[in-house]
Amino acid sequence: MLLRRMAVLIAATGLLALPGTTALAAPSDQDASYLKAAHQSNLAEIAGGKIAQQKGTSEQVKNLGARFIADHTKLDTALRQTAEGLGVELPSAPNSEQQALAQRRRPDFQ
């Protein structure tokens, strides 16, 4: 599931930021909503990775947390570049549902 989401995000990001194009059309509402939701998902996965690193009781969990942080930071960098190029303003935090889930795992999450 995670690999599929990553592949879709990479493909969508690549299609939206085609090299050599001089001007990109304004994004549709659907495209802007997707970029915002994907960004929030990346933020939530990064936060979850930090929780795994801090609260994990095994090295395997801590390593997986580090992997989530690295992978989703890389994905989000590409997504932010695409959003900026299209003039889409991204939210600064995960959505309320994602925050509530993290709150259950780590009370000091923001």
Side-chain angles (χ1 to χ4, degrees), residues 46-59 61-67 69:
I46 291 166
K50 289 178 182 178
I51 293 169
Q53 284 186 310
Q54 294 169 358
K55 303 285 184 175
T57 57
S58 72
E59 279 305 306
V61 169
K62 291 179 181 197
N63 291 339
L64 185 59
R67 179 73 182 259
I69 293 168

Side-chain angles (χ1 to χ4, degrees), residues 7-94:
V8 169
L9 178 60
I10 291 168
T13 302
L15 290 174
L16 294 174
L18 293 172
T21 57
T22 55
L24 295 173
S28 68
D29 289 343
Q30 184 178 8
D31 289 340
S33 292
Y34 172 80
L35 289 170
K36 291 174 185 180
H39 174 65
Q40 287 179 305
S41 292
N42 283 330
L43 294 178
E45 296 292 347
I46 291 166
K50 289 178 182 178
I51 293 169
Q53 284 186 310
Q54 294 169 358
K55 303 285 184 175
T57 57
S58 72
E59 279 305 306
Q60 194 172 20
V61 169
K62 291 179 181 197
N63 291 339
L64 185 59
R67 179 73 182 259
F68 270 55
I69 293 168
D71 289 351
H72 286 278
T73 298
K74 184 176 180 178
L75 286 170
D76 203 54
T77 298
L79 186 143
R80 283 186 281 117
Q81 289 174 348
T82 299
E84 184 179 323
L86 294 171
V88 175
E89 189 173 328
L90 298 175
S92 61

